[in-house]
Amino acid sequence: SSGINAEYGDPKHFKNAKKEIDGLYKTLTDEATAVTKKIIALSPTLADRVAEFNRREGERKALLASISSLAEKVLGDKVSKTTCNEQENNLLSKLYTAQTAIEDSLAAL
């Protein structure tokens, strides 16, 4: 069974979890923005690296939105389990790659 379907089989549970995750993500993004502004203020030469980090973080956010959208489709029975599994595996692979790129960007700072 799909990870998305197994974890969020209850639409109310999914909606509550999504709301909580969205709130935590916003807090994290706000904190990351504040840190990147301080980094640029302290060392303007790092501006390109910070911009790269921000670009990669935007890619990760888009992938997370795609995973959320897929979960909503599963809950609404708008996609088959096979399609869901294929899309979920593809998105998770891309998310892993994006996460690795972000970690590399942070290490470069």
Side-chain angles (χ1 to χ4, degrees), residues 4 7-8 10-27 61-73 75:
I4 289 174
E7 186 148 350
Y8 300 111
D10 174 19
K12 185 176 180 181
H13 173 73
F14 172 76
K15 184 177 179 182
N16 290 337
K18 184 178 183 310
K19 186 176 182 179
E20 181 180 353
I21 290 169
D22 287 347
L24 292 171
Y25 188 82
K26 182 180 180 339
T27 299
K61 184 176 182 180
L63 287 166
L64 290 170
S66 295
I67 291 169
S68 176
S69 175
L70 178 60
E72 289 173 355
K73 289 176 184 175
L75 291 172

Side-chain angles (χ1 to χ4, degrees), residues 15 20 43 50-51 58 74 84 86 96 104:
K15 184 177 179 182
E20 181 180 353
S43 183
V50 169
V74 169
C84 173
E86 291 169 0
Y96 176 77
D104 291 347

Side-chain angles (χ1 to χ4, degrees), residues 38-53:
K38 286 181 184 178
I39 290 171
I40 291 172
L42 293 172
S43 183
T45 59
L46 294 178
D48 288 343
R49 291 182 184 168
V50 169
E52 179 67 12
F53 166 78

Side-chain angles (χ1 to χ4, degrees), residues 69-87:
S69 175
L70 178 60
E72 289 173 355
K73 289 176 184 175
V74 169
L75 291 172
D77 289 327
K78 295 179 182 174
V79 296
S80 70
K81 286 185 180 184
T82 302
T83 300
C84 173
N85 287 337
E86 291 169 0
Q87 290 181 5

